[in-house]
């Protein structure tokens, strides 16, 4: 039975029975309202971002509580995305490599604090003191083996395009910074880790991954490969025309995208999987099948710079604090993302076939259906100063926002919120239908930046949404007076004046 059907049965309130080992991930009961709200989030983002196809899975307390497939896997044949459709994971692969390293650490084969040269011969002299942890957390200071593309794409190997040339070229380049001094994301770190895994385990990297992760987690279709690899059931890849990172305005036309991963960089970005398989893997990771709880905790803890400050990555996983919720993530190719909220026993997976979809930007909104403070309207994703202001405004029911802002300034001399941050939050409130709250935030922005045409323009939008047309006209008029090229304000002003 397809996993999506099982999820719908559970949503309807029928008790779910955990399948036998090797079957579909266990599914727990979820409310129809909750599932429907996630559907709304996903469909809205797909429309806004022109995403052809998508899978979304939510894991709560070790069980899948939401599993849906949307859209098409191939625009030419109109083949639909189904729960078993395979997507390219790109740099999310690094999380798997992190698990592999921790498995070897648990077996006593590796030490995170040891230099890579202990396990791999032939490294340049300047590279030999770089530790395993520094490679995992991207603070090695090493040059990158990949020339980064200007737009959407996987980049190309340095040198003449062959692995031997790339390795010879990158190892001849000077280091970019002393190890542990600064952060720079690059693929050389994970090429070295792949070589170490192969050397220490005594088996090829892909075989180690299959026997130590894919098979124990009952992953049915996860495999390494790129656009050249024939892989039944895989979705076609798309990007915005011209390789635009964020996509053109308007219809956002799409074109085919092609990924090329040389075998020795597949430790950094070569995996393909379905969201179902990823769910099995995340559940196995957290239930002790793949790693002990202690090893998982270490993996999801930051490394350290030489000055003792924490790094933005754990062991193979980017880490972040989302309003008090720790997130360990896998993010790849601007098209795939999975967030684990370990302290909340929650995980969200979103896979798409569009480079530029950036699902990491709306994963929190899905998680917010279970943790409401992650919702944008509740401050989720907002900068910490905005979160503080939100709490202050809630205490006064959004009355006298300027006074609340000034009180926060008096308590903390460093407190400050930019015009763009306030404008963005007001826009979220307005889009969510909280018109009066949005007007309060926009009014505050006007008070703080009275010379900003955009601030007055946004306040006009708020008043227009409230049908306070006289106030909207006054705001749009002020916006145009400050900037005669503000076409949005000019057009809205013309339209409102025509109503009178």
């Amino acid at each position: 039975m397809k996993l999506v059907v099982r999820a719908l049965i559970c949503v309807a309130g029928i008790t779910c029975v955990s399948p036998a080992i090797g079957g579909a991930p266990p599914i727990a009961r979820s409310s129809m309202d909750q599932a429907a709200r996630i559907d709304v989030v996903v469909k809205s983002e797909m429309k806004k971002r022109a995403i052809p196809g998508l899978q979304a899975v939510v894991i709560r307390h070790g069980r899948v509580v939401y599993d849906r497939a949307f859209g098409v896997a191939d625009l030419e044949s109109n083949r639909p995305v189904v729960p078993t459709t395979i997507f390219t994971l790109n740099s999310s692969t690094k999380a798997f490599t992190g698990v592999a390293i921790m498995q070897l650490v648990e077996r006593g084969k590796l030490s995170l604090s040891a230099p890579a040269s202990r396990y791999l011969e032939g490294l340049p002299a300047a590279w030999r003191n770089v530790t395993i942890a520094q490679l995992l957390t991207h603070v090695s200071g090493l040059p990158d083996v990949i020339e980064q593309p200007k737009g959407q794409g996987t980049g190309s190997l340095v040198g003449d395009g062959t692995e031997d040339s790339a390795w010879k070229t990158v190892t001849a380049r000077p280091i970019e910074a002393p190890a542990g001094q600064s952060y720079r994301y690059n693929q050389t770190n994970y090429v070295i880790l792949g070589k170490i895994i192969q050397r220490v385990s005594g088996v090829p990297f892909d075989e180690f991954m299959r026997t130590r992760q894919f098979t124990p987690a009952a992953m049915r279709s996860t495999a390494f490969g790129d656009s050249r690899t024939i892989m039944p059931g895989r979705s076609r890849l798309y990007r915005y025309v011209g390789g635009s990172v964020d996509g053109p305005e308007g219809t956002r036309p799409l074109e085919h995208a092609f990924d090329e991963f040389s075998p020795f960089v597949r430790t950094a970005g070569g995996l393909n999987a379905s969201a179902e398989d990823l769910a099995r893997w995340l559940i196995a990771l957290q239930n002790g099948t793949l790693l002990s709880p202690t090893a998982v905790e270490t993996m999801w803890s930051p490394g350290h710079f030489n000055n003792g400050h924490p790094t933005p990555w754990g062991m193979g996983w980017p880490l972040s604090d989302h309003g008090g919720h720790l997130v360990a993530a896998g993010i790849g190719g601007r098209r795939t993302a999975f967030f684990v909220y370990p302290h909340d026993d929650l995980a969200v997976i979103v896979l798409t076939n569009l480079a530029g979809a950036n699902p990491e930007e709306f994963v929190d909104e899905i998680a917010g259906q279970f943790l409401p403070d992650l919702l944008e309207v509740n401050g989720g994703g907002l900068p910490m100063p905005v979160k503080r202001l939100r709490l202050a405004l809630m205490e006064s029911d959004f009355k006298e926002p300027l006074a609340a802002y000034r009180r926060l300034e008096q308590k903390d001399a460093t407190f400050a919120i930019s015009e763009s941050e306030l404008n963005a939050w007001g826009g979220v409130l307005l889009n969510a239908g909280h018109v009066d709250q949005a007007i309060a935030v926009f009014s505050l922005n006007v008070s703080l930046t009275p010379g900003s045409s955009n601030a007055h323009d946004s306040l006009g939008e708020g008043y227009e949404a409230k049908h306070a047309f006289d106030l909207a006209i006054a705001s749009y008029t002020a916006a145009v007076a400050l900037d005669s090229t503000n076409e949005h304000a000019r057009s809205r002003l013309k339209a409102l004046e025509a109503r009178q």
Side-chain angles (χ1 to χ4, degrees):
M1 185 179 294
K2 291 182 179 179
L3 197 61
V4 66
V5 175
R6 296 172 68 91
L8 288 173
I9 289 174
C10 292
V11 164
I14 297 176
T15 300
C16 297
V17 179
S18 298
I21 294 175
I27 301 173
R29 186 176 300 172
S30 179
S31 72
M32 178 64 78
D33 286 345
Q34 203 169 48
R37 290 196 299 271
I38 297 174
D39 285 352
V40 169
V41 172
V42 170
K43 291 176 181 178
S44 173
E45 295 293 343
M46 290 184 71
K47 181 178 180 180
K48 179 170 64 176
R49 299 165 190 263
I51 300 172
L54 180 151
Q55 290 173 337
V57 170
V58 179
I59 304 164
R60 183 70 162 151
H61 304 312
R63 293 177 176 272
V64 171
V65 296
Y66 178 92
D67 186 341
R68 302 279 172 90
F70 301 84
V72 296
D74 183 348
L75 288 169
E76 292 171 331
S77 68
N78 214 36
R79 171 169 57 96
V81 174
V82 296
T84 55
T85 298
I86 299 169
F87 289 83
T88 302
L89 300 187
N90 295 84
S91 288
S92 297
T93 303
K94 292 180 176 67
F96 286 78
T97 301
V99 172
I101 290 291
M102 293 306 303
Q103 288 177 322
L104 291 171
V105 169
E106 274 204 307
R107 292 169 60 187
K109 300 289 187 180
L110 289 176
S111 169
L112 293 175
S113 61
S117 57
R118 177 183 297 180
Y119 311 104
L120 190 64
E121 299 175 354
L123 292 176
W127 296 22
R128 290 175 188 166
N129 289 328
V130 175
T131 67
I132 301 296
Q134 288 168 338
L135 293 171
L136 285 165
T137 56
H138 294 290
V139 297
S140 66
L142 300 182
D144 200 342
V145 74
I146 295 289
E147 299 285 2
Q148 296 301 320
K150 294 181 179 179
Q152 291 292 353
T154 52
S156 57
L157 292 174
V158 298
D160 66 10
T162 64
E163 289 188 358
D164 287 344
S165 174
W167 186 246
K168 182 178 180 180
T169 300
V170 75
T171 53
R173 291 182 173 179
I175 62 171
E176 297 180 351
Q181 177 175 291
S182 58
Y183 169 86
R184 181 176 182 250
Y185 179 85
N186 82 64
Q187 313 304 329
T188 304
N189 298 322
Y190 282 75
V191 170
I192 296 173
L193 290 169
K195 290 177 178 290
I196 289 173
I197 291 168
Q198 185 162 308
R199 177 69 60 83
V200 171
S201 69
V203 298
F205 176 77
D206 57 352
E207 181 179 340
F208 181 88
M209 298 297 283
R210 178 177 56 80
T211 58
R212 295 300 307 275
Q213 294 189 44
F214 304 162
T215 298
M219 302 174 79
R220 297 171 175 175
S221 55
T222 300
F224 288 95
D226 58 16
S227 292
R228 299 167 298 183
T229 309
I230 296 174
M231 196 172 295
R234 184 167 55 176
S235 174
R236 293 291 294 270
L237 302 178
Y238 300 93
R239 68 178 190 174
Y240 297 126
V241 166
S244 171
V245 171
D246 296 313
E249 295 297 328
T251 58
R252 296 192 176 193
L254 305 180
E255 63 185 11
H256 289 296
F258 303 92
D259 285 346
E260 185 172 351
F261 299 108
S262 177
F264 89 150
V265 298
R266 290 183 180 177
T267 52
L271 271 180
N272 303 266
S274 67
E276 282 190 354
D277 262 8
L278 279 178
R280 295 184 183 96
W281 180 72
L282 288 175
I283 290 171
L285 182 59
Q286 293 189 277
N287 69 13
T289 299
L290 302 181
L291 285 173
S292 70
T294 300
V296 171
E297 183 178 0
T298 298
M299 184 173 66
W300 288 341
S301 297
H304 291 90
F305 291 105
N306 295 337
N307 62 9
H309 293 168
T311 60
W313 274 57
M315 304 303 124
W317 300 65
L319 304 174
S320 53
D321 181 347
H322 293 202
H325 298 273
L326 173 65
V327 172
I331 301 172
R334 295 178 175 268
R335 71 189 68 162
T336 64
F338 49 86
F339 284 12
V340 179
Y341 305 80
H343 298 161
D344 302 292
D345 209 358
L346 178 71
V348 178
I349 302 166
V350 179
L351 307 183
T352 84
N353 54 0
L354 175 63
N358 296 318
E360 63 274 13
E361 295 178 354
F362 60 88
V363 168
D364 272 348
E365 197 68 11
I366 295 173
Q369 310 307 320
F370 302 84
L371 306 171
D373 59 317
L374 287 173
L375 293 172
E376 281 190 333
V377 70
N378 291 336
L382 294 174
M384 190 54 66
V386 181
K387 289 178 179 289
R388 290 174 60 190
L389 176 62
R390 174 183 170 271
L391 292 175
L393 292 179
M394 288 177 65
E395 292 177 358
S396 63
D397 195 25
F398 280 72
K399 307 297 184 184
E400 300 182 349
L402 182 59
Y405 188 92
R406 297 303 186 202
R407 285 194 294 272
L408 289 171
E409 282 185 319
Q410 291 173 0
K411 293 178 181 178
D412 181 359
T414 66
F415 178 81
I417 301 176
S418 70
E419 175 193 341
S420 61
E421 289 172 337
L422 277 176
N423 199 61
W425 182 34
V428 167
L429 291 167
L430 190 63
N431 291 335
H434 298 274
V435 178
D436 289 335
Q437 293 182 3
I439 289 173
V441 172
F442 290 142
S443 296
L444 171 61
N445 214 10
V446 167
S447 297
L448 295 173
T449 56
S452 168
S453 174
N454 189 57
H456 287 276
D457 188 358
S458 295
L459 180 56
E461 288 187 89
Y463 284 136
E464 188 174 354
K466 191 177 175 63
H467 293 176
F469 298 123
D470 288 343
L471 293 173
I473 288 172
S475 292
Y476 288 134
T477 299
V480 172
L482 288 165
D483 180 4
S484 61
T485 66
N486 188 330
E487 293 301 325
H488 177 266
R490 290 173 66 89
S491 64
R492 295 314 307 150
L493 185 58
K494 182 177 180 180
L496 290 176
E497 288 176 338
R499 292 173 55 96
Q500 295 183 329

